[in-house]
């Protein structure tokens, strides 16, 4: 069976999230694309460090990134297993 992919995404909410959902539907054939209600910001407000969030949440202010409790953590290194970004040139895990 060829089952279309299902996607669960989190984002800050808003128009970029909607545009990304449409892009995913068009390019992957996913028929089921879901968002975390209220975005990741509302999730972290509700559950904080007690939730299931691992890693950094990048924000659009001078903090640049926050941990699950909302505390700035740009300079806190993450274990490579939690880093989803990679350097385009050398493929090294990169979380900035």
């Amino acid at each position: 069976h060829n089952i279309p992919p299902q996607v669960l995404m989190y984002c800050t909410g808003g128009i970029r999230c909607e545009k990304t959902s449409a892009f995913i539907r068009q390019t992957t054939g996913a028929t089921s694309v879901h968002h975390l209600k209220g975005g990741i910001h509302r999730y972290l407000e509700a559950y904080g460090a007690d939730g299931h969030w691992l890693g950094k949440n990048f924000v659009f202010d001078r903090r640049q990134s926050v941990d699950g409790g909302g505390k700035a953590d740009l300079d806190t290194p993450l274990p490579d297993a939690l880093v989803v970004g990679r350097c385009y040139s050398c493929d090294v895990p990169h979380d900035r």
Side-chain angles (χ1 to χ4, degrees):
H1 292 80
N2 211 1
I3 301 170
Q6 294 184 23
V7 177
L8 173 60
M9 56 188 272
Y10 70 88
C11 56
T12 57
I15 191 66
R16 284 182 285 206
C17 200
E18 296 302 323
K19 286 186 171 193
T20 302
S21 294
F23 177 79
I24 290 171
R25 282 187 191 95
Q26 289 173 356
T27 58
T28 68
T31 56
S32 180
V33 179
H34 301 277
H35 302 226
L36 187 59
K37 185 175 181 178
I40 192 62
H41 181 73
R42 297 287 181 252
Y43 176 86
L44 293 176
E45 280 181 346
Y47 299 101
D50 294 329
H52 295 284
W53 180 261
L54 297 175
K56 297 181 180 186
N57 180 38
F58 292 92
V59 294
F60 300 100
D61 60 28
R62 82 169 97 172
R63 297 172 297 167
Q64 295 185 356
S65 72
V66 295
D67 63 13
K71 186 180 95 187
D73 74 346
L74 183 64
D75 296 322
T76 305
L78 289 174
D80 285 352
L82 293 180
V83 178
V84 296
R86 300 191 82 76
C87 175
Y88 182 75
S89 298
C90 65
D91 203 36
V92 170
H94 183 65
D95 68 351
R96 286 190 159 193

